[in-house]
Amino acid sequence: AQSVTQLDSQVPVFEEAPVELRCNYSSSVSVYLFWYVQYPNQGLQLLLKYLSGSTLVKGINGFEAEFNKSQTSFHLRKPSVHISDTAEYFCAVSEFPGNQFYFGTGTSLTVIP
Amino acid sequence: EAQVTQNPRYLITVTGKKLTVTCSQNMNHEYMSWYRQDPGLGLRQIYYSMNVEVTDKGDVPEGYKVSRKEKRNFPLILESPSPNQTSLYFCASSFPGAVGTEAFFGQGTRLTVV
């Protein structure tokens, strides 16, 4: 089974500053990688996903992530955060397309005005 | 609109009183699963189902049951709830075998067992 590590449980950042949320996974076999966002009192919504090809993936709301196979990492970045980005962010991995998703413990991003 | 629908959104119950949380998806997905979300622990899988009449245990199945009699529905059953099952529950569905498919989540059910 895969193991997903989100290194930071809480990340405070000032508005308009850049942010990076870190994610590492355990296996070097081919995987599919996802970032989800959970706004307060809501379900999980897909931000972006990596399947193959270009290692830089762009998602919604100005987020992007970079896949690094040698470091088994999939860090999420945004160059300038907004108050509305305050949420919980989850990294997820799947070895087989469409099933058995493994989630990290989440990173709580708080954007400070 | 493609969606996963859970009911109820909020539920307070007493220890030992059987309850069912319903989950329904309208995307014809074969794979469905239940997760619980607890602070500091992220999402942990309770049960999953690869197709109708095919279910299997996830990482934390104790105290839960599921059934999959129809493709669209995947209810979560707590026969005798206990306070340690107080949590936020999510149902998810996806289409196995399709490269790039992600999991689609319901809005969540916040369960409190007193």
Side-chain angles (χ1 to χ4, degrees), chain A residues 2 25-32 67 69 72 93-95:
Chain A
Q2 282 281 346
Y25 59 96
S26 60
S27 174
S28 59
V29 301
S30 294
V31 294
Y32 306 95
F67 169 60
K69 186 175 183 179
T72 59
V93 171
S94 173
E95 288 181 352

Side-chain angles (χ1 to χ4, degrees), chain A residues 36 38 41 49 51 97-98 100, chain B residues 31 37 90 94 97 100-103:
Chain A
Y36 284 85
Q38 183 184 26
N41 298 316
K49 57 187 177 184
L51 312 175
Q100 284 306 86
Chain B
Y31 186 87
Q37 181 183 2
F90 287 102
S94 57
T101 188
E102 66 267 26

Side-chain angles (χ1 to χ4, degrees), chain A residues 80-94:
Chain A
S80 176
V81 295
H82 189 267
I83 294 290
S84 60
D85 293 323
T86 294
E88 189 88 14
Y89 292 80
F90 291 95
C91 180
V93 171
S94 173

Side-chain angles (χ1 to χ4, degrees), chain B residues 30-54:
Chain B
E30 292 170 345
Y31 186 87
M32 296 185 74
S33 57
W34 276 102
Y35 297 87
R36 61 178 288 172
Q37 181 183 2
D38 301 289
L41 299 177
L43 279 82
R44 295 179 292 168
Q45 191 179 56
I46 302 170
Y47 269 94
Y48 65 94
S49 169
M50 298 289 287
N51 212 327
V52 176
E53 302 292 1
V54 180

Side-chain angles (χ1 to χ4, degrees), chain B residues 8-107:
Chain B
R9 290 288 310 277
Y10 302 92
L11 180 59
I12 301 174
T13 190
V14 296
T15 299
K17 185 176 182 181
K18 180 180 179 180
L19 66 90
T20 300
V21 183
T22 64
C23 173
S24 180
Q25 50 93 6
N26 63 0
M27 296 168 279
N28 203 35
H29 285 165
E30 292 170 345
Y31 186 87
M32 296 185 74
S33 57
W34 276 102
Y35 297 87
R36 61 178 288 172
Q37 181 183 2
D38 301 289
L41 299 177
L43 279 82
R44 295 179 292 168
Q45 191 179 56
I46 302 170
Y47 269 94
Y48 65 94
S49 169
M50 298 289 287
N51 212 327
V52 176
E53 302 292 1
V54 180
T55 63
D56 210 343
K57 296 177 180 179
D59 298 318
V60 288
E62 293 77 23
Y64 304 95
K65 285 176 58 177
V66 293
S67 70
R68 188 91 182 273
K69 293 182 171 53
E70 309 164 279
K71 185 182 274 191
R72 64 182 292 125
N73 296 323
F74 190 45
L76 178 70
I77 303 156
L78 284 71
E79 295 269 2
S80 183
S82 63
N84 64 12
Q85 292 178 298
T86 292
S87 186
L88 179 58
Y89 293 86
F90 287 102
C91 179
S93 73
S94 57
F95 190 60
V99 173
T101 188
E102 66 267 26
F104 292 80
F105 284 83
Q107 289 293 90

